[in-house]
């Protein structure tokens, strides 16, 4: 992974726009490679280079890397790991917003299911030895089984 990061850093320093275009091509499923695992990390590394982040096409090319809603989450997660918490550049946030804004309602609804939710609702598990729910008892015989009932 370190060799990959070094190669991306060298490419970004040599020519930032070509590195960004390569990332967009890498993610494009129709005209490019369609790879989903590498573009978030490439964008995270390129986000650390001021020449790439300040490039006028950075948000546009980054938005092209967001084909599915979870791509945006992967990009933010990779950038947070690489750059650190609360250190995401504004251009990166702008690119994520542009990418999500370009999606149709159908695309957003298509991937809005329980398998992609990051924080699914927790289901209460019933314990095997759990006590039954209390109920209203009217007589002592209902409360105490007949075998152990107290003699009057």
């Amino acid at each position: 992974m370190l060799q990959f990061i070094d190669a991306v850093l060298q490419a970004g320093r040599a020519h930032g726009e070509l590195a960004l275009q390569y990332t967009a091509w890498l993610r494009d499923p129709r005209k490019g490679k369609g790879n989903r695992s590498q573009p978030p990390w490439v964008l995270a590394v390129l986000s650390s280079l001021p020449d790439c982040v300040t490039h006028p096409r950075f948000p546009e090319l980054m938005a092209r890397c967001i084909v599915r809603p979870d791509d945006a989450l992967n990009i933010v997660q990779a950038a947070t790991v690489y750059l650190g918490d609360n250190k995401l550049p504004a251009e990166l946030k702008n690119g994520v917003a542009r990418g999500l804004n370009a999606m149709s309602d159908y695309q957003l609804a298509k991937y809005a299911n329980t398998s992609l939710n990051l924080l699914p609702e927790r289901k209460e598990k019933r314990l095997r030895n759990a006590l039954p729910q209390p109920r209203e008892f009217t007589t002592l015989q209902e409360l105490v089984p007949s075998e152990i009932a107290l003699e009057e």
Side-chain angles (χ1 to χ4, degrees):
M1 181 79 170
L2 293 177
Q3 293 175 341
F4 174 70
I5 291 172
D6 288 338
V8 171
L9 284 171
Q10 289 176 10
R13 287 184 189 123
H15 203 287
E17 184 177 8
L18 285 178
L20 290 166
Q21 288 175 345
Y22 168 74
T23 309
W25 172 84
L26 192 63
R27 179 60 189 107
D28 191 343
R30 291 185 189 96
K31 297 179 184 177
K33 193 172 179 184
N35 189 328
R36 292 188 61 222
S37 60
Q38 290 178 342
W41 292 102
V42 173
L43 287 171
V45 172
L46 293 177
S47 294
S48 69
L49 299 174
D51 291 340
C52 289
V53 174
T54 57
H55 193 280
R57 292 190 65 202
F58 181 81
E60 171 202 341
L61 292 171
M62 207 195 100
R64 286 189 190 176
C65 294
I66 300 175
V67 177
R68 297 171 30 159
D70 57 335
D71 290 338
L73 297 174
N74 292 335
I75 291 168
V76 170
Q77 181 182 22
T80 302
V81 168
Y82 188 76
L83 300 172
D85 289 341
N86 298 324
K87 295 185 179 175
L88 301 180
E91 292 82 358
L92 180 86
K93 295 175 187 177
N94 186 12
V96 169
R98 283 179 73 172
L100 290 173
N101 195 32
M103 292 188 170
S104 68
D105 291 339
Y106 171 76
Q107 286 176 301
L108 294 173
K110 179 179 175 183
Y111 294 104
N113 61 36
T114 56
S115 68
L116 294 177
N117 284 344
L118 293 179
L119 300 172
E121 293 182 22
R122 292 185 180 211
K123 295 179 182 176
E124 292 185 24
K125 294 181 181 178
R126 285 189 59 114
L127 300 175
R128 290 183 184 175
N129 298 331
L131 296 173
Q133 293 294 326
R135 61 182 185 131
E136 296 291 327
F137 294 103
T138 56
T139 65
L140 184 61
Q141 276 73 25
E142 285 184 49
L143 184 60
V144 180
S146 61
E147 300 91 40
I148 57 172
L150 299 173
E151 292 182 27
E152 297 181 17

